[in-house]
Amino acid sequence: MFLSKWCKACPDMASLFLRITIGITFIMHGSQKVFGAFGGGGISGTALFLAKIGVPMPELMAYVVAFTEFLGGIGILLGCCTRLFALLISILMLVAIVKVHWANGFFMDKGGIEYPFIILGATLALFSTGCTKWGLDCTVLKKWCK
């Protein structure tokens, strides 16, 4: 009874809150990598970092990572291709966990997996739910929604 009376919109709201949070986060992170904004290294700095951690073809992968984060953040925020962008960012987080953070343990203050692990959970939740009610996927392509 409690859920039906007070929480009819809870799944839709949960997806919206996740989309806003993840979308803004990845627009900001992507801006650092694409434009060098907010103290970021831009594409060249991203390529140098990827080369340092042993990612093959670091120059190409810098563009892939940077634009996946930036455009993925915009897409998720707007609810446009939510599942696709959530899956792509989930893959980035898995790579970050394995290549960068795993050796440092769990906690973020030691450079551990805590932050990318939380983002991974959130993006997998978005992959599972899609944009739900408030997003372009549902507004434009109603067949993608409940």
Side-chain angles (χ1 to χ4, degrees):
M1 273 197 176
F2 177 77
L3 290 178
S4 65
K5 182 176 179 182
W6 295 101
C7 205
K8 288 182 181 181
C10 285
D12 293 335
M13 295 299 291
S15 176
L16 177 63
F17 294 148
L18 275 174
R19 282 191 13 250
I20 291 169
T21 305
I22 297 298
I24 290 171
T25 298
F26 278 93
I27 290 169
M28 300 299 281
H29 278 279
S31 294
Q32 290 182 306
K33 292 175 178 74
V34 172
F35 306 115
F38 311 110
I43 295 290
S44 60
T46 303
L48 287 172
F49 175 74
L50 294 176
K52 181 180 172 184
I53 64 169
V55 172
M57 299 182 297
E59 294 83 12
L60 173 64
M61 294 310 294
Y63 281 95
V64 171
V65 168
F67 282 97
T68 298
E69 287 189 7
F70 183 68
L71 297 176
I74 292 170
I76 286 174
L77 181 64
L78 298 175
C80 179
C81 302
T82 304
R83 284 191 165 110
L84 172 65
F85 286 126
L87 177 63
L88 293 174
I89 292 174
S90 293
I91 293 167
L92 289 180
M93 291 301 99
L94 278 172
V95 172
I97 287 168
V98 171
K99 294 290 281 178
V100 180
H101 300 279
W102 190 262
N104 300 321
F106 183 79
F107 295 103
M108 187 169 56
D109 65 336
K110 306 267 193 277
I113 69 166
E114 184 177 12
Y115 174 73
F117 185 65
I118 291 168
I119 297 293
L120 175 62
T123 54
L124 288 174
L126 281 174
F127 176 71
S128 300
T129 63
C131 78
T132 66
K133 186 176 180 181
W134 294 290
L136 291 179
D137 291 342
C138 295
T139 305
V140 176
L141 300 169
K142 295 189 185 302
K143 66 181 181 180
W144 288 9
C145 301
K146 296 177 185 179

